[in-house]
Amino acid sequence: MTCDSAAEPAWRSYGTSRRATRAVRVRVSAALVAATVLAVLLVPPLVQLDQQAVDLSAKLLPPSWAHPFGTDDLGRDLLLRCVYGLRVSLLVGVVAALAATVLGTAVGVSAGVLGGWVDRGVMRVVDTVSSVPHLLLGIFIVAMFRPGVWPVAVSVALTHWLSTARIVRAEVLSLRSRSYIDAAVSGGASRWRVAVRHLLPAVLPQAALAAVLMVPHAMWHESALSFLGLGLPTHLASLGNLIQGARGSLLAGQWWPTPFPGLFIIVPTLAIAGLAGAWRERINPRRRSELML
């Protein structure tokens, strides 16, 4: 009896500490996401500077009050270029995530509703495409087009709808056994009416969560493709381009052109992932498995 009473406060303390840690994580993630959105929306119109303007007299200046992140090898302000690069990465990430989610949801719902040979055929296609590394397949797709924002977004979308299709299909298969679905079918509702009126609204929260989790993943892929020279044109500010162009400066002893673009990739992606993790726990608290995107 004494042991039970002594153990109870410890469990309560653990649960309280865990909830407090989760709340802090959510607040910090929300603040970082808000700062990211405000930066990409407000900095370009407020700072009346050309991020492409070359000033060789100010090249490779270390961080200072005038240039908080320093300047690159052409004298361009790194802070402003990082903000523009983040703007491009977010655009690619959001567009690619939305396109991949729409495609994956349509495929997953169709496979789950039709079943039979259609389901088996669709899942074999998904397994086959999933066996190819995403980055390798993305390089193959981007190489067929001229460098630009939209080819990168299309390549990321075409390589990242597979996991959404699996998640949505699994949800549809679990929902098909529910009593209200049986009642709708018994009442004469067609297969597609059931899918649109009942199944699709039920899987939308999982699909939306997959889309949010896909945004940072798409940002990483865009940066990787740009770093390899297959993403955005080299004259455009892209976080991958900035890191790739900073390699020579790092070897020459100028450290600042390299870490700041990397932080602009890492911090927003971790913040978005933190919010998505809290959302996942809220909509499905008993499920601890990660959505592998």
Side-chain angles (χ1 to χ4, degrees), residues 115-201:
W117 64 269
V118 175
D119 184 25
R120 292 192 295 271
V122 168
M123 296 316 296
R124 294 296 80 77
V125 172
V126 170
D127 293 338
T128 301
V129 178
S130 297
S131 64
V132 182
H134 288 172
L135 184 58
L136 182 61
L137 186 58
I139 291 173
F140 175 76
I141 296 173
V142 170
M144 296 188 295
F145 303 94
R146 298 180 63 182
V149 173
W150 299 114
V152 174
V154 169
S155 70
V156 175
L158 291 179
T159 55
H160 288 76
W161 62 272
L162 308 167
S163 56
T164 304
R166 282 200 185 98
I167 294 168
V168 171
R169 171 185 173 270
E171 290 292 325
V172 170
L173 291 179
S174 66
L175 290 170
R176 283 174 55 181
S177 60
R178 302 290 177 86
S179 58
Y180 69 92
I181 299 296
D182 293 336
V185 174
S186 301
S190 66
R191 184 178 296 179
W192 290 110
R193 182 177 178 82
V194 171
V196 173
R197 292 290 300 272
H198 301 287
L199 296 178
L200 185 58

Side-chain angles (χ1 to χ4, degrees), residues 62-256:
S64 62
W65 285 109
H67 303 285
F69 287 2
T71 60
D72 63 5
D73 56 348
L74 295 177
R76 296 172 295 192
D77 185 79
L78 273 176
L79 174 58
L80 189 59
R81 286 182 63 78
C82 285
V83 171
Y84 273 90
L86 180 59
R87 198 179 192 183
V88 172
S89 295
L90 278 177
L91 173 64
V92 172
V94 171
V95 171
L98 290 177
T101 301
V102 171
L103 178 59
T105 302
V107 172
V109 170
S110 300
V113 170
L114 295 176
W117 64 269
V118 175
D119 184 25
R120 292 192 295 271
V122 168
M123 296 316 296
R124 294 296 80 77
V125 172
V126 170
D127 293 338
T128 301
V129 178
S130 297
S131 64
V132 182
H134 288 172
L135 184 58
L136 182 61
L137 186 58
I139 291 173
F140 175 76
I141 296 173
V142 170
M144 296 188 295
F145 303 94
R146 298 180 63 182
V149 173
W150 299 114
V152 174
V154 169
S155 70
V156 175
L158 291 179
T159 55
H160 288 76
W161 62 272
L162 308 167
S163 56
T164 304
R166 282 200 185 98
I167 294 168
V168 171
R169 171 185 173 270
E171 290 292 325
V172 170
L173 291 179
S174 66
L175 290 170
R176 283 174 55 181
S177 60
R178 302 290 177 86
S179 58
Y180 69 92
I181 299 296
D182 293 336
V185 174
S186 301
S190 66
R191 184 178 296 179
W192 290 110
R193 182 177 178 82
V194 171
V196 173
R197 292 290 300 272
H198 301 287
L199 296 178
L200 185 58
V203 302
L204 281 181
Q206 290 291 342
L209 176 59
V212 175
L213 285 169
M214 203 179 300
V215 171
H217 203 68
M219 292 173 62
W220 279 91
H221 269 256
E222 181 275 322
S223 299
L225 290 172
S226 297
F227 179 82
L228 295 173
L230 297 171
L232 272 67
T234 55
H235 68 277
L236 293 180
S238 165
L239 297 177
N241 285 341
L242 292 178
I243 296 175
Q244 197 278 339
R247 292 187 300 167
S249 302
L250 183 63
L251 294 175
Q254 288 86 16
W255 58 269
W256 53 91

